[in-house]
Amino acid sequence: MQRLQDIAVTVASSDDSPINHANAIPILHEVFHALNRYAQEGVSTTIDLRAIPFGPGDEQALLDFLGRGEVEVTLRSLGDSAIWECAYPGVWIVDHRNSENERVALQLEIGRVPEIVQSQSEDILDALDRLQSRLEVLD
């Protein structure tokens, strides 16, 4: 008598798509529409990838499909965060880690540059004060 665990199971797909993971494809369509909206209207979009119920391999398939572009940024604040432009300019991956190197956020940002990289107005005003003070010492 044959037992259930003795039956060979093979998973096959007739889909010839280079990416066939269930949740990666809808996200890629969302990225396309967000990039189009940014190009047409200047509206930035953030997609929280940690809020998406990815199946095994979905997240990596998405990241592999998007690839890497020319720009990479390392942000050091309460842990290292990696930010990189995808192979599609205007599409960014923002991977935040805490001091124990645990991922605390993974986002796709569609725009010219991720929000977190831009200097804040308060910081710029503080920089003006500090620079002025240092220049006064030189005069």
Side-chain angles (χ1 to χ4, degrees):
M1 173 191 226
Q2 192 172 24
R3 297 181 313 180
L4 185 59
Q5 61 263 32
D6 295 331
I7 299 172
V9 175
T10 303
V11 177
S13 172
S14 61
D15 184 6
D16 291 332
S17 168
I19 184 169
N20 59 10
H21 294 275
N23 283 337
I25 293 172
I27 296 301
L28 289 169
H29 283 284
E30 189 173 345
V31 168
F32 172 80
H33 291 293
L35 188 58
N36 185 52
R37 187 170 43 255
Y38 185 77
Q40 300 298 320
E41 304 168 24
V43 177
S44 300
T45 301
T46 299
I47 301 169
D48 181 1
L49 295 178
R50 296 230 353 175
I52 305 208
F54 284 125
D58 277 351
E59 181 182 299
Q60 192 58 53
L62 175 69
L63 296 177
D64 290 346
F65 186 92
L66 291 172
R68 287 197 178 234
E70 300 174 348
V71 180
E72 294 187 21
V73 176
T74 300
L75 176 68
R76 291 186 175 91
S77 177
L78 305 174
D80 287 350
S81 296
I83 302 164
W84 67 90
E85 186 176 42
C86 296
Y88 305 92
V91 180
W92 298 84
I93 301 291
V94 182
D95 186 0
H96 295 291
R97 307 273 176 160
N98 64 17
S99 58
E100 286 80 40
N101 201 34
E102 299 165 325
R103 180 177 280 159
V104 294
L106 181 64
Q107 300 170 321
L108 274 169
E109 282 198 42
I110 291 81
R112 192 164 306 279
V113 66
E115 186 72 30
I116 196 160
V117 175
Q118 298 179 34
S119 296
Q120 302 300 308
S121 298
E122 300 81 18
D123 294 337
I124 293 170
L125 293 173
D126 180 59
L128 279 170
D129 289 342
R130 289 186 298 117
L131 184 57
Q132 181 179 20
S133 296
R134 295 207 56 202
L135 286 172
E136 287 171 355
V137 172
L138 296 176
D139 290 337

